[in-house]
Amino acid sequence: MGDSSQNTQLRTLTYADQVKGKQQLPTTSIDLSSLPIPTVKEGKLAVVLPELFYLEGCDIWKFTLIGSLDLKGVNFQDVKNNLEEQWQLGQGRVQFVPMNRGFFTIKLQSQDDKDKLLNVKAWFFDHQKLNLIEWFPGFDADKQRTSHASMWVKFPGLPLEFWIEKTLLAIAKSLGTPIVRTLEHEYGHFASVLVDINFAETATDSIHVIVGGLDFWQPVEIQKKPKFCTKCKIIGHNDQECKKQTSNSSVQAPAQ
């Protein structure tokens, strides 16, 4: 009888009852009565936060940078491991937090660490230049708009006598701001330069080169050319995907 009664009691216990006491729920040491009292504005809930709360939140991220890469088809853990190895900041001194559109926060521990990263002209991951900016309050990856992108540019068929750094950078400067060139002649019969290009101003597939009595058109190939909208003048989508274009095309003139 006793065994039957005990079995019945066990069967009536819920899963929550059985695990109760086995796990500790997170608690807070903050006195909830010290928090601002919610209010209503225009019929909806509202809260007025103390400025001190906001400043405390900003202070946590004061040594943070924002990085961006083309992460399509890339394992973000590989990015973290690669950059940590390059930076050599020490165990636990950098934290990565992924966001949207290829952006991620790089939370550092000191101003020295921050300066170390910013004082290097360029960091790279898998032939991509890591774009870095200082974090600022209110940063929203979805609202970032730019017409610039750092792209590897090939000059196929360029004669070997032009394969010196000054010449390559001078040719690349026609497209934008050169960052670095290929260091070895082991990538086939072409020279390649990483260039910061403003796609709102530059649209070319060749560059006119003049030197002494020579005069020729040098072909240009931009690797992994980004989507660029000629309507919005920004990188991220093309003309066919543009919402402005779709919106304008949907507004038809009334039939006569």
Side-chain angles (χ1 to χ4, degrees), residues 229-241:
C229 179
T230 61
K231 310 296 181 182
C232 304
K233 302 296 183 184
I234 62 171
I235 289 172
H237 63 270
N238 55 34
D239 289 7
Q240 291 71 32
E241 299 168 337

Side-chain angles (χ1 to χ4, degrees), residues 12-29:
T12 59
L13 290 177
T14 66
Y15 177 77
D17 292 330
Q18 295 178 46
V19 301
K20 188 179 295 182
K22 294 184 180 180
Q23 51 184 329
Q24 184 69 38
L25 294 177
T27 59
T28 179
S29 60

Side-chain angles (χ1 to χ4, degrees), residues 17-116:
D17 292 330
Q18 295 178 46
V19 301
K20 188 179 295 182
K22 294 184 180 180
Q23 51 184 329
Q24 184 69 38
L25 294 177
T27 59
T28 179
S29 60
I30 295 175
D31 179 6
L32 299 184
S33 65
S34 68
L35 301 179
I37 299 173
T39 183
V40 175
K41 183 175 182 179
E42 298 178 359
K44 296 184 178 181
L45 294 174
V47 61
V48 179
L49 296 174
E51 186 177 9
L52 185 62
F53 288 13
Y54 176 76
L55 295 176
E56 183 178 337
C58 290
D59 188 65
I60 293 173
W61 302 94
K62 62 184 176 182
F63 303 129
T64 297
L65 298 172
I66 302 294
S68 63
L69 289 167
D70 181 0
L71 297 176
K72 189 176 297 183
V74 174
N75 185 321
F76 189 65
Q77 185 63 47
D78 292 339
V79 174
K80 294 167 58 177
N81 294 342
N82 182 280
L83 294 178
E84 285 179 338
E85 183 177 351
Q86 290 187 62
W87 296 339
Q88 294 292 305
L89 295 176
Q91 186 69 28
R93 294 194 62 82
V94 58
Q95 178 184 359
F96 296 85
V97 182
M99 296 185 286
N100 296 334
R101 302 178 61 234
F103 288 93
F104 50 94
T105 63
I106 304 166
K107 190 173 184 290
L108 304 165
Q109 297 297 312
S110 70
Q111 187 63 44
D112 287 343
D113 289 349
K114 185 176 178 181
D115 291 340
K116 178 179 179 179

Side-chain angles (χ1 to χ4, degrees), residues 147 153 174-176 196-208 217-218 220-222 225-226 228-230 233:
S147 60
V153 178
S174 302
L175 300 171
D196 179 69
I197 301 174
N198 183 355
F199 285 89
E201 298 177 355
T202 303
T204 184
D205 57 5
S206 61
I207 298 172
H208 193 196
W217 286 93
Q218 172 59 46
V220 172
E221 292 181 7
I222 299 176
K225 194 170 184 179
F228 177 74
C229 179
T230 61
K233 302 296 183 184

Side-chain angles (χ1 to χ4, degrees), residues 68-70 121-131 148-155 165 168-183 187 190-199 220-226:
S68 63
L69 289 167
D70 181 0
K121 184 176 182 181
W123 298 99
F124 294 90
F125 170 77
D126 192 25
H127 300 295
Q128 285 193 64
K129 176 179 177 287
L130 171 65
N131 298 305
H148 286 255
S150 297
M151 309 300 301
W152 282 102
V153 178
K154 292 182 181 179
F155 301 119
E165 186 168 16
L168 290 174
L169 296 181
I171 296 174
K173 191 175 178 180
S174 302
L175 300 171
T177 304
I179 300 170
V180 68
R181 65 170 179 85
T182 49
L183 301 178
Y187 297 98
F190 59 83
S192 186
V193 182
L194 185 65
V195 188
D196 179 69
I197 301 174
N198 183 355
F199 285 89
V220 172
E221 292 181 7
I222 299 176
Q223 302 180 57
K224 297 182 179 180
K225 194 170 184 179

